[in-house]
């Protein structure tokens, strides 16, 4: 005789946009991102007040070094510990760091050494925070909701980029560095009670994948071998690294130089960057609303090819309005590619390795991508914008070739929503 537990069908989880657990996490994440944006405004302007332009660059770059060096170790920590607790501890540490600096600069002028130490410590804490954030979504929602969560997360990032800098600038104008740092610390403090309310699922490792924790070095090497041998994750990581190295520097630095070369002025640059952001926001909205795109692996490759073609063409068009349209196309395709890449990695990875996988993916963004910035600037100075943009578009197409030559990527699909025992999609109405 069937028990009550086996006789009753399992209740389908709520869609991500109606799941209180996901929405609490998204709220905490958004508030934390706004705090990040306010912090960087406060840090940059405080450095400008304390020293000259060269020192501003030094302070702003200081946080990138520990973040890149410790990111892989952060992945090991995320896999060994509860990622929610890692995120909670990271936000608490960032809150205390920033409030301590706010108190220090309120009592004295913002000394350069204080700002450098803050940036170094903040970057080190970020190396723990970022892999844990990547490992958390599969623990708070079902696999079929990860694409929707990726879109919602991208929209949160765009919202923080809109709200954070003006808030930081207003705080600097009204009360100076101490007020701006205090505001950033308060944003991190607000995220803490929201994080405390999040429920996470226990890890359910894939068969034969989980090993007993060894030393940190052994765990790290095991994670790297896992990525290299995985038929889907390996090609996706390689393709993403190629694209970050080739396209990120060109789009971030090259667009400034292209705009100057064409004489479109600051307003022209603003239109291009805004169009790129609008395209990326549209891609996030698409993923958040649709929840699932069929033939995800092929769509991922196609959007990477389209975005690479747009990056190559943007330096060849003569008119500003054409460049603005192409920037929107690039942003749309780059956003879909990035979202699908993230979700396919999250759904394919054994949960026991997800923190380490995320740390490698993010290392290509915070470690490899900045290496392309000086290279892109020097190349545009030597050869002009058009050859550099075309070359980087070709490099992006090489990343698409990596995905297209992988059978696992071509066949990759996003998970479907579970169906009820009666055969209808879970949550559907009669």
């Amino acid at each position: 005789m069937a028990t009550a537990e086996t006789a009753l069908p399992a209740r389908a989880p709520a869609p991500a946009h109606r799941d209180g657990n996901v929405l609490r996490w998204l709220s905490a994440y958004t508030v934390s991102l706004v705090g990040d944006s306010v912090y960087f405004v406060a840090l940059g302007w405080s450095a400008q007040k304390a020293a000259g332009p060269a020192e501003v660059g030094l302070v702003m770059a200081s946080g990138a070094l520990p973040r890149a060096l410790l990111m892989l170790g952060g992945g090991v920590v995320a896999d060994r510990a509860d990622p929610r607790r890692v995120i909670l501890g990271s936000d608490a540490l960032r809150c205390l760091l920033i409030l301590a600096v706010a108190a220090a600069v309120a009592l004295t002028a913002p000394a350069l050494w204080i700002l450098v130490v803050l940036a170094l410590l903040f970057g080190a804490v970020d190396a723990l925070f970022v892999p844990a954030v990547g490992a958390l979504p599969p623990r708070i929602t079902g696999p079929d909701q990860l694409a929707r969560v990726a879109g919602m997360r991208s929209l949160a990032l765009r919202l923080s980029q809109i709200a954070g800098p003006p808030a930081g600038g207003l705080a600097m104008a009204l009360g100076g560095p101490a007020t701006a740092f205090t505001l950033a610390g308060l944003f991190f403090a607000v995220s803490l009670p929201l994080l405390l309310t999040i429920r996470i699922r226990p890890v359910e490792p894939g068969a034969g994948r989980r090993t007993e924790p060894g030393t940190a070095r052994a765990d790290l090497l095991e994670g790297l071998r896992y990525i290299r041998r995985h038929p889907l994750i390996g090609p996706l990581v390689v393709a993403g690294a190629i694209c970050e190295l080739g396209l990120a520097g060109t789009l971030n630095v090259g667009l400034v130089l292209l705009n100057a070369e064409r004489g479109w002025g600051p307003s022209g640059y603003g239109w291009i960057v805004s169009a790129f952001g609008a395209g990326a926001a549209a891609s996030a909205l698409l993923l958040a609303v649709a929840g699932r795109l069929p033939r995800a692996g092929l769509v991922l490759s196609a959007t990477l090819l389209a975005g690479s073609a747009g990056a190559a063409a943007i330096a060849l068009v003569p008119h500003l309005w054409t460049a603005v349209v192409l920037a929107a196309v690039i942003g749309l395709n780059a956003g879909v590619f990035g979202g699908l890449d993230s979700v396919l990695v999250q759904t394919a990875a054994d949960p026991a390795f997800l923190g380490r996988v995320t740390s490698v993916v993010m290392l290509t963004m915070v470690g490899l991508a900045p290496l392309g910035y000086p290279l892109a600037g020097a190349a545009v100075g030597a050869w002009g914008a058009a050859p550099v943009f075309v070359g980087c578009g070709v490099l992006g197409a090489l990343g698409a070739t990596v995905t297209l030559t992988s059978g696992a990527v071509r066949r990759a699909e996003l998970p479907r929503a579970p169906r009820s025992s009666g055969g209808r999609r879970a949550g559907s109405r009669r």
Side-chain angles (χ1 to χ4, degrees):
M1 180 176 176
T3 64
E5 288 79 4
T6 57
L8 293 175
R11 184 178 180 181
H17 61 285
R18 282 186 266 167
D19 187 336
N21 200 41
V22 173
L23 293 177
R24 288 191 296 273
W25 168 79
L26 186 68
S27 299
Y29 181 63
T30 304
V31 170
S32 183
L33 287 175
V34 175
D36 267 337
S37 296
V38 174
Y39 158 75
F40 281 111
V41 170
L43 185 68
W45 278 101
S46 298
Q48 186 270 334
K49 287 180 174 292
E55 286 77 12
V56 173
L58 171 65
V59 171
M60 299 302 287
S62 296
L65 182 62
R67 189 183 299 115
L69 292 177
L70 301 176
M71 184 70 71
L72 296 181
V76 173
V77 173
D79 283 336
R80 287 185 165 196
D82 177 346
R84 185 192 66 132
R85 292 183 179 178
V86 175
I87 296 171
L88 188 63
S90 300
D91 265 359
L93 281 174
R94 294 196 292 185
C95 177
L96 292 174
L97 277 172
I98 292 176
L99 291 179
V101 169
V105 299
L107 298 175
T108 182
L112 187 64
W113 71 269
I114 294 178
L115 301 178
V116 171
V117 171
L118 171 63
L120 288 170
L121 293 175
F122 197 92
V125 175
D126 252 5
L128 296 174
F129 177 83
V130 172
V133 165
L136 191 61
R139 305 278 295 275
I140 61 174
T141 189
D144 61 294
Q145 295 298 313
L146 288 176
R148 185 168 277 123
V149 169
M152 294 163 67
R153 179 178 169 185
S154 184
L155 285 173
L157 175 62
R158 297 295 166 187
L159 176 63
S160 72
Q161 292 170 340
I162 293 171
L170 181 62
M172 284 291 297
L174 293 177
T179 301
F181 280 123
T182 300
L183 180 62
L186 291 177
F187 275 113
F188 289 122
V190 169
S191 72
L192 297 178
L194 291 169
L195 289 170
L196 284 170
T197 65
I198 297 172
R199 304 182 308 275
I200 68 169
R201 299 170 180 167
V203 172
E204 297 177 1
R209 288 295 185 184
R210 181 64 167 169
T211 60
E212 291 301 320
T215 64
R217 180 176 181 275
D219 282 1
L220 175 57
L221 293 176
E222 183 185 20
L224 295 176
R225 286 193 296 269
Y226 175 78
I227 294 171
R228 179 172 58 85
R229 295 170 180 170
H230 198 287
L232 178 61
I233 296 175
L236 289 177
V237 170
V238 171
I242 292 173
C243 294
E244 287 293 338
L245 185 60
L247 295 176
T250 304
L251 294 176
N252 283 284
V253 177
L255 279 178
V256 177
L257 302 176
L258 171 66
N259 191 76
E261 187 179 283
R262 297 296 172 84
W264 291 331
S267 63
Y269 176 72
W271 277 107
I272 293 173
V273 173
S274 296
F276 181 90
S283 71
L285 187 61
L286 171 66
L287 291 174
V289 172
R292 184 179 186 276
L293 298 180
R295 310 296 294 274
L298 289 177
V299 172
L300 175 145
S301 301
T303 52
L304 179 51
L305 277 173
S308 300
I314 197 170
L316 303 177
V317 297
H319 303 296
L320 174 60
W321 70 268
T322 318
V324 170
V325 171
L326 279 173
V329 171
I330 296 168
L332 175 63
N333 284 278
V336 173
F337 165 76
L340 290 178
D341 181 84
S342 173
V343 175
L344 288 174
V345 167
Q346 287 181 337
T347 54
D350 185 315
F353 289 93
L354 190 51
R356 281 164 284 181
V357 171
T358 301
S359 70
V360 172
V361 172
M362 294 306 299
L363 181 62
T364 65
M365 299 175 67
V366 303
L368 286 181
L371 296 179
Y373 294 177
L375 295 177
V380 172
W383 302 311
V388 175
F389 274 80
V390 171
C392 288
V394 171
L395 196 57
L398 176 61
T401 303
V402 171
T403 62
L404 286 170
T405 54
S406 167
V409 176
R410 291 197 308 272
R411 295 187 297 271
E413 292 281 6
L414 297 179
R416 294 181 181 274
R419 294 180 180 273
S420 65
S421 59
R424 291 183 303 276
R425 184 178 299 276
S428 65
R429 297 181 182 271
R430 289 182 180 270

